[in-house]
Amino acid sequence: MLSFSSSSLSLSLSLSLSVRMVIKTELCAYTEGRIYPGRGMRYVARDGKVHIFGSAKARRLHNQRIKPVKLRWTQAWRRHNKKGKVEESAKKRARRTFKVQKAIVGLSLEDFQRKKARRPELRAAAKEAATKEAKVKAEKKAAQAAKAKAAMKSTGPAQKQQFSKQAKPAGKGGGKR
């Protein structure tokens, strides 16, 4: 006869309740859903690659070469359209970029900042020079146009060329057919 004390029995019961049974599950090659033992089917392709499908529907769609991203009920579609995983998007928003100025080889940071402060003045001077140049070009163009107009008036009105109309060939007036 075996006899157990109540303390050892309660200890063994509490240990068995805290330990969970681990079940090895596979992932469906098409839907990426869990496949539990005794479920699903294996498909070996000609090249020897093994695909495990959770259902005949997934296997048929895979064989038809329909992309899982195009079907709303697959994990691939959810991943592609960013459904679920709300926490990650909140983390991404928290990041902010900030500018850091560093010295360039041959220039100290102070020299670089002085040069940068001078830039608006140089830009304004360059802009003024460009506008002056554009005005000079426009004046030259206007002067050339005026000279051309004066030359046209002195030679007289240009003679218009006269084109003779060609007679249409006789017939019903159709094309090639």
Side-chain angles (χ1 to χ4, degrees), residues 46-66:
R46 285 183 183 169
D47 61 351
K49 192 171 181 182
V50 179
H51 300 282
I52 304 166
F53 298 110
S55 63
K57 178 181 179 180
R59 183 177 57 104
R60 280 196 316 267
L61 289 167
H62 176 79
N63 288 341
Q64 290 174 29
R65 289 188 162 81
I66 293 174

Side-chain angles (χ1 to χ4, degrees), residues 2-70:
L2 293 170
S3 63
F4 293 103
S5 66
S6 63
S7 62
S8 65
L9 184 62
S10 64
L11 181 65
S12 65
L13 281 175
S14 66
L15 284 176
S16 66
L17 292 175
S18 64
V19 177
R20 287 189 173 183
M21 192 169 115
V22 178
I23 300 172
K24 186 181 178 197
T25 59
E26 302 279 347
L27 284 180
C28 177
Y30 192 77
T31 64
E32 299 175 27
R34 282 190 181 156
I35 304 171
Y36 290 95
R39 304 281 174 170
M41 59 194 84
R42 290 182 187 274
Y43 173 75
V44 182
R46 285 183 183 169
D47 61 351
K49 192 171 181 182
V50 179
H51 300 282
I52 304 166
F53 298 110
S55 63
K57 178 181 179 180
R59 183 177 57 104
R60 280 196 316 267
L61 289 167
H62 176 79
N63 288 341
Q64 290 174 29
R65 289 188 162 81
I66 293 174
K67 294 179 183 175
V69 174
K70 303 219 177 203

Side-chain angles (χ1 to χ4, degrees), residues 126-160:
K127 192 175 182 181
E128 282 180 33
T131 53
K132 281 183 184 177
E133 193 175 316
K135 281 182 184 177
V136 169
K137 277 186 180 180
E139 287 173 5
K140 282 183 182 179
K141 206 173 196 182
Q144 285 179 351
K147 279 184 184 179
K149 241 184 187 180
M152 289 291 282
K153 283 183 181 178
S154 64
T155 58
Q159 295 178 355
K160 291 185 179 178

